[in-house]
Amino acid sequence: MTLEILAVDDSRTMRDLIKLALLPEGFTVHTADDGVHGIEVLSGIEPDAIITDINMPRMDGFGFIDAVRDQSKHRSTPILMLTTEAAPELKKRAREAGATGWIVKPFDPEKLVKALQMVAG
Amino acid sequence: MSTQTGPDSIELLTFRIAEQEYALDILSVREIRGWTHAPPLPHAPHYMKGVINLRGTVLPVMDLSARLGLPKREQNARNVIIVVKLEETMTGLLVDAVSDIVAMSPEDMQPPPELSSDIAEAVVSALTLIDERMIRVLDLASTINVLEGVAA
Amino acid sequence: MTTDPMAEIRASFFIECEELLEALQDGLQMMDEGEDDPETINIVFRAVHSIKGGAGAFGLEALVRFAHRYETVLDEVRAGRLLVDPDALKVFFQAADHLSDLVRISRDEAPLPEEETVQLLEALDAFLGDTPPEEEAAEEDIDFQPMGLALDLDLNGDDVSEDSDAFPSLDDLPPPPDFNTENDSASETYTIVFTPKAELFETGNEPSLLLRNLGDLGEAQVVCDASELPDLADLTPELPHLSWTINLATDADEGEIRSIFEFVEGLCTLEIAAGNGPAHADQNHSDIPHNLPEITPPETLGPPPESRSAPFPAPQSAPASLAYEQQTEETTPAERAPVKDKSAKPAAAPAAKSVVRVDLDRIERLVNLVGELVINQAMLSQSPEQSGISPHSDAMSGLEEFQRLTRDIQDSVMMIRAQPVKSLFQRMSRIVREASAAVGMDVRLQIFGEATEVDKTVIERLADPLTHMIRNAVDHGLESRDDRIAAGKEPQGRVNLTAAHRSGRVVIEIADDGAGINRPKVLQIAIDKGLIAPDANLSDSEIDNLLFLPGFSTASVVSDLSGRGVGMDVVRTAIQALGGRITITSEPEKGTTFSISLPLTLAVLDGMVVEVAGETLVLPLNLVVETLTLENEGVKMLRPGHNVIEVRSGFTPLFDLGHALGYREPVTDFEGSVALLTAQEDESRAALVIDNIQDQRQVVIKGLDDSFHRAPGIAAATILGDGQIALILDPSDIIANAGPMPRTSPAYSSEGLSA
């Protein structure tokens, strides 16, 4: 099953790694450099799921999820947060912001695919 | 010409300087160019002829006869520059004329007798005979690396 | 070309690290200058954080560990729990330097500097005081295997303040599942009761997908419990009303089952029991399958109905139970969180500057090709002239246009390689920190004009000479603290590093506010070393320039910093190899300034093409002030072999270029010769005797590498329109070598050129 994904991360390396994990699975991957850029990219696509980093310039992951959820058409779009931090309060904040799930970096490519398929069908 | 080819054979480019015959492993030869004016590099050693334009790069040219301590001669239109590559460095070698390409087996090549510390002998790695003529096979590294040897 | 995508990303990661380290330095610098904007510390934090993130992906454990600790301390600053004082900043700078080392070491797979790491970790730990609790928890997360998914099941109810229900204690959870494990054990049957809460839908989770994922694990019998479903009239669509009981026959263990619900833990009630027996649900649900409505899924998972007053999809008559096949996706709850129909919040910010990364080799190739184009164009524009085509013909105006375009292309291509000197200057900050620490001095480096752009190659080749000069400034230029106080100066020494564009060149200055050059001492050393005659009468400027003589070192005690066998002569040689010049100015008690003037690019030069002794040579046009035609009577002999000419009420030394280059015997008859009056960086003038001027034109610089026996005075070479090579001269070098100072090395020595 192939999905269209938007990956938002300020680290080029992470974006590359996400692409490396998803492209061979036939996924379509759009990328954005931060939250603000992510919202811009989102306006032109309808991804099946979104992956976002937390710490980013201009608009962080929480702000980004808020902004995505504020758009009625993305109210139920699955969003996975990429985080190096496993702190419970981060997850709680992520959830409160409307994140569907999270992936702790560094991620296993196979498991990222699996997680996306789990939340986005 | 001696053209015995075999798996171990070495191809040599033979050329003449001051009526003597020399040879270089063809693998190190990149191309052969006709003589062209080479602006001299000021204060360079006497065997450095100058520099020429080799398709957009500046190629230093060494006068091989001067390098080998042979008598100084006038340049003429038959003179050629053998462009050789040693490691990553290209150098031009000015010789009188190119003779032939011959294949030799290692058995045909003899180490030169260690008679003298003559500059011309120090760069000769082997001797071989073709049609009764003695060919001196040059060791490219010691021929060219004198540049660094003198400069360093 | 590497084909392994992981290796490519790894390489790209290290490039990104350089950028991040630069941002880190910038941020710290701003903090050092008193900037306390929260975004500044955020930038610093993110830089370290991103390095850690990437390093984790490549299993660079040492880098991850150090970055993690550094990040933890920075997070304390970010949270306002740690105040940044000068001591803290000092450690932050050191940590940034060390992080930079670790990045390089990780990249090169070099041995780790364990000792230094431990020291800095201790210094960082000192800021954390008593070990913060979350530190330990997080520490475990970095013990991952490269690219391993750390399924974070350390959700600790205790850490979460109010909503303990949302984060139940999961102490009894099994370890994270491994999706890849083939489980050979016989199928077991689990009974799973799953009741979503309203929040589950707000996070974009889908019960239908969860059920399907369960189905993927084995044979699932799903029973939907609609007993909580109120009468239609009372139904509140925002609230979930359904509960599911799944009988799952699977090879998977409970951990795997739980992993499916990982993202919804706390957002539902979940009971998992082995065996067929009913799981104990904490919600009162009666098993009334016969009354189940079938929930019709909406057409898409897209936006829910906008208007909540519209009739709900009426529950249709239900089958006895909903038996899920593996692939069925039937149940989608009609319930949704209410629509908040705000317009997109963030204003459209300017899109990030889009950047393409290009292999430097490709640019080199382009630069070379453009160089060829320029030469070709020059050749082409010569041929119509030679064939006598009218300068007003279409062909000629076409050629002019061609020439203009060629220049534009050339300029644009050169711009590709231009880079700000910032990264270079940042490295110098570190040099100052290290050099001042080594000699126990307090030195502040101030940087100006770091946005100034210079050819990348120039920047790379400036690093060594600049490092040496910065070390010199700290080591020799600045006085000790006590001396400074005695001289009425600030105890903290200052070094200013400045870059600026000045009349088509880049000028970089290194200025200290130290005691200035000790000229009597310099003079004495030069005499002692036999570099100059004991009775030499030198001007201040000439004394200062003695520093550039090979083998000169002013350090009376060979210190840790300067005793490296390199002197300012090597610096000068390196600068000259870049087509640059270096000058020195010094004022007693005020300080010393070294000024480096460089071409913007190594690739082109506006040159004057001249002929000397039958050879064609090129001189940098910007050095030629005036051209003069000589008459024998205007040339005065100073002493044999040394002549001067009178130019506007002053005597200017005359240099016979043909002789200086070894092309011919000294000229004795100057009548009709041309002299080029040149001005040096240090304002001194000299006239070079040539035979005639051929042309003024832009030439493409072709570097001469060290195997060329590069002589003093020869900067590079170029290829002229006729395909011939012409050497590009460095007049100041020729003059310096022909000047009053004796030549100390053979003319053809290439010693020091590799600096």
Side-chain angles (χ1 to χ4, degrees), chain A residues 12-13 75 84 91 95 100 106, chain C residues 16 49 148 152 203 265 304:
Chain A
R12 194 166 64 223
T13 305
R75 212 163 35 77
T84 50
K91 273 177 220 163
R95 233 177 214 175
T100 309
Chain C
E16 187 179 17
H49 181 74
D152 46 334
T203 60
E265 264 156 19

Side-chain angles (χ1 to χ4, degrees), chain C residues 16 23 90 138 150 172-173 203 222 238 406 409 441 454 501 506 535 591 594 620-621 645 673 689:
Chain C
E16 187 179 17
K90 204 171 157 187
D172 52 348
L173 274 183
T203 60
V222 180
E238 288 81 12
T406 308
I409 291 174
M441 288 188 357
V454 191
H501 280 152
V506 181
D535 57 351
F594 286 94
L621 192 58
I645 51 167
S673 293
V689 180

Side-chain angles (χ1 to χ4, degrees), chain C residues 628-638 643-647 650-654 670-672 687:
Chain C
L628 312 161
T629 306
L630 297 178
E631 291 166 16
N632 276 333
E633 58 199 62
V635 178
K636 315 267 188 254
M637 191 182 80
L638 203 59
N643 297 302
V644 294
I645 51 167
E646 194 174 357
V647 184
F651 287 102
T652 302
L654 199 59
F670 291 100
E671 192 72 31

Side-chain angles (χ1 to χ4, degrees), chain B residues 14-113:
Chain B
T14 64
F15 49 90
R16 276 186 297 109
I17 310 170
E19 310 309 318
Q20 303 202 43
E21 291 205 60
Y22 292 86
L24 276 169
D25 187 339
I26 196 93
L27 291 177
S28 57
V29 176
R30 287 289 163 274
E31 62 179 285
I32 295 162
R33 296 177 63 88
W35 168 247
T36 170
H37 172 69
L41 287 165
H43 309 294
H46 68 285
Y47 51 79
M48 286 312 295
K49 194 71 196 168
V51 287
I52 62 163
N53 170 11
L54 181 72
R55 283 188 303 282
T57 62
V58 182
L59 184 79
V61 176
M62 176 186 275
D63 181 348
L64 207 48
S65 67
R67 170 71 186 91
L68 298 173
L70 299 169
K72 199 177 161 91
R73 291 156 351 279
E74 285 305 306
Q75 245 80 60
N76 67 53
R78 286 197 62 206
N79 289 165
V80 292
I81 295 168
I82 303 173
V83 180
V84 293
K85 187 173 185 182
L86 179 68
E87 283 153 14
E88 288 310 303
T89 310
M90 306 269 271
T91 309
L93 301 174
L94 177 66
V95 304
D96 287 359
V98 171
S99 315
D100 202 357
I101 295 171
V102 293
M104 305 291 296
S105 70
E107 303 87 71
D108 295 333
M109 313 234 275
Q110 304 168 16

Side-chain angles (χ1 to χ4, degrees), chain C residues 2-326:
Chain C
T2 166
T3 46
D4 174 8
M6 204 57 187
E8 274 178 32
I9 297 177
R10 188 178 188 273
S12 149
F13 163 67
F14 285 114
I15 296 171
E16 187 179 17
C17 276
E18 295 300 323
E19 293 160 16
L20 292 167
L21 288 166
E22 194 176 302
L24 172 61
Q25 281 287 347
D26 267 357
L28 290 174
Q29 201 68 47
M30 282 167 78
M31 287 165 73
D32 193 32
E33 282 156 17
E35 180 67 66
D36 58 357
D37 175 5
E39 184 52 19
T40 308
I41 177 70
N42 271 332
I43 288 169
V44 168
F45 175 84
R46 272 200 308 270
V48 178
H49 181 74
S50 292
I51 290 174
K52 183 183 94 172
F58 300 103
L60 307 170
E61 210 172 300
L63 189 53
V64 172
R65 264 178 201 287
F66 187 77
H68 178 72
R69 198 75 60 91
Y70 191 9
E71 174 193 28
T72 306
V73 175
L74 291 172
D75 199 29
E76 291 293 295
V77 177
R78 205 164 63 137
R81 288 189 293 263
L82 176 65
L83 206 67
V84 182
D85 57 14
D87 284 344
L89 262 175
K90 204 171 157 187
V91 174
F92 290 176
F93 271 118
Q94 283 173 345
D97 291 345
H98 190 63
L99 192 65
S100 154
D101 286 347
L102 287 176
V103 165
R104 207 188 55 239
I105 286 164
S106 305
R107 183 191 62 206
D108 302 342
E109 291 168 2
L112 292 165
E114 303 281 1
E115 202 171 308
E116 212 187 325
T117 305
V118 168
Q119 275 177 10
L120 274 163
L121 282 177
E122 278 169 9
L124 287 170
D125 279 346
F127 293 113
L128 297 174
D130 299 331
T131 322
E134 47 192 300
E135 166 76 6
E136 292 311 310
E139 193 79 45
E140 288 164 20
D141 282 327
I142 64 165
D143 278 337
F144 32 59
Q145 292 297 307
M147 298 298 285
L149 175 62
L151 275 175
D152 46 334
L153 294 174
D154 57 19
L155 284 171
N156 207 328
D158 304 355
D159 284 335
V160 182
S161 48
E162 77 281 51
D163 195 0
S164 62
D165 194 22
F167 287 88
S169 172
L170 298 174
D171 291 343
D172 52 348
L173 274 183
D178 187 335
F179 291 113
N180 298 323
T181 305
E182 290 291 322
N183 196 337
D184 294 330
S185 68
S187 287
E188 173 136 25
T189 308
Y190 293 91
T191 302
I192 300 148
V193 181
F194 164 56
T195 312
K197 295 181 185 176
E199 296 94 322
L200 186 143
F201 303 104
E202 289 168 10
T203 60
N205 276 290
E206 266 295 339
S208 65
L209 288 175
L210 293 166
L211 296 176
R212 191 202 66 191
N213 292 329
L214 265 187
D216 287 347
L217 289 180
E219 199 76 14
Q221 290 276 319
V222 180
V223 178
C224 178
D225 176 2
S227 64
E228 297 297 311
L229 199 65
D231 288 346
L232 202 53
D234 300 333
L235 194 138
T236 315
E238 288 81 12
L239 294 175
H241 301 281
L242 300 178
S243 172
W244 285 270
T245 301
I246 306 102
N247 281 313
L248 178 68
T250 176
D251 294 341
D253 62 11
E254 191 176 328
E256 274 174 76
I257 296 169
R258 277 196 189 274
S259 77
I260 286 174
F261 292 93
E262 191 210 346
F263 295 150
V264 294
E265 264 156 19
L267 303 178
C268 63
T269 51
L270 182 66
E271 305 286 327
I272 299 176
N276 267 317
H280 296 289
D282 62 354
Q283 266 174 306
N284 189 14
H285 81 95
S286 51
D287 203 8
I288 40 165
H290 290 280
N291 293 335
L292 275 178
E294 183 182 338
I295 308 298
T296 312
E299 287 295 299
T300 66
L301 298 185
E306 286 294 300
S307 166
R308 282 296 162 189
S309 60
F312 300 113
Q316 294 164 2
S317 61
S321 69
L322 297 174
Y324 271 76
E325 296 297 312
Q326 296 249 120

